[in-house]
Amino acid sequence: MATSYDYWYKDNDKRVWSIRFSKVTVIAIVLGVGVLAAVIYICCFMDMQAKDSVSSLVGNVTGVFSVDTEKKEAVAENTAVKKRKEEDSSYIFKKSSKKKLKDSQLKKLSKKKLQIAEYEIYARNGRGFNSKKWQRYFDSKSWYEHMVSAEFFDKHKKSLLNRIEKANIKKIKKYLKKKSK
């Protein structure tokens, strides 16, 4: 069991209070006071040469803090990239996993937008893409999280997609076929 020290004192109302410190706490306080006294001594009573060596030591310490500054700058840059992702996170159909798409919504879309709408449903379910073009496109979306390979997803898509998503993909493919003619 660690040794502890009791310190007693009285306040103005003659009440007695005690504070209990562990051995480690007392050592930490004594060391802190010692370091503070050494710094005061160096600053006030030593010659300029010693002050210069202390300032070079402090300079080395600030070099360590500049590494922290570089980390903060990297985090800030990463945050800016995420913000750009969020700005470019629009969906073709935001609720295509919850609502059936209407013909009027699909008629007006180009072939490219229809393809994106189809892949968007897959991407929302974590599908990866073998095509670098499509993988880059969905990696740029803040909502996208690559969880499974394209091969795995395609093999198990019947169990991974809900009934509305399946119906929407079928309908999108119908319009893609019409646009290809």
Side-chain angles (χ1 to χ4, degrees):
M1 189 167 164
T3 307
S4 61
Y5 300 94
D6 290 330
Y7 293 92
W8 297 86
Y9 62 93
K10 294 181 183 181
D11 65 7
N12 292 338
D13 296 335
K14 307 273 188 215
R15 286 182 288 186
V16 177
W17 298 86
S18 83
I19 300 174
R20 182 172 292 248
F21 292 107
S22 70
K23 201 176 221 180
V24 174
T25 306
V26 171
I27 291 170
I29 291 170
V30 169
L31 285 174
V33 169
V35 168
L36 182 61
V39 169
I40 291 170
Y41 175 77
I42 289 171
C43 291
C44 297
F45 301 110
M46 296 206 51
D47 64 352
M48 289 303 287
Q49 185 179 6
K51 285 185 182 179
D52 290 340
S53 65
V54 169
S55 62
S56 69
L57 178 65
V58 171
N60 291 339
V61 172
T62 57
V64 172
F65 290 114
S66 70
V67 172
D68 286 342
T69 304
E70 289 171 10
K71 285 181 184 177
K72 287 179 184 176
E73 288 171 356
V75 168
E77 185 178 326
N78 195 12
T79 303
V81 168
K82 284 182 181 178
K83 191 172 186 177
R84 282 195 300 274
K85 269 184 154 186
E86 288 170 7
E87 289 168 357
D88 191 29
S89 65
S90 59
Y91 296 93
I92 301 297
F93 296 112
K94 193 171 187 168
K95 297 184 180 183
S96 62
S97 62
K98 297 175 184 168
K99 282 184 163 184
K100 285 191 175 183
L101 297 172
K102 297 176 182 170
D103 289 325
S104 60
Q105 293 174 293
L106 296 171
K107 278 182 189 176
K108 60 185 176 184
L109 293 181
S110 67
K111 184 179 175 181
K112 183 180 178 182
K113 293 274 187 184
L114 286 166
Q115 188 69 65
I116 293 171
E118 177 187 358
Y119 287 169
E120 189 176 87
I121 294 170
Y122 300 144
R124 228 186 249 124
N125 286 283
R127 182 189 191 267
F129 295 89
N130 292 331
S131 161
K132 287 182 182 179
K133 169 188 163 187
W134 289 113
Q135 189 62 52
R136 271 194 313 269
Y137 176 81
F138 287 108
D139 280 338
S140 74
K141 303 299 181 185
S142 63
W143 51 264
Y144 176 69
E145 189 174 339
H146 181 169
M147 292 185 280
V148 296
S149 68
E151 293 78 20
F152 179 88
F153 187 90
D154 293 343
K155 186 176 178 182
H156 301 284
K157 80 170 122 181
K158 284 185 179 178
S159 62
L160 295 172
L161 297 172
N162 67 37
R163 136 186 98 69
I164 293 172
E165 290 169 325
K166 290 175 192 171
N168 285 340
I169 289 169
K170 187 175 180 180
K171 196 174 246 188
I172 290 169
K173 284 185 174 185
K174 180 179 114 181
Y175 276 90
L176 272 168
K177 194 173 181 179
K178 283 182 184 180
K179 299 274 182 176
S180 295
K181 290 181 183 181

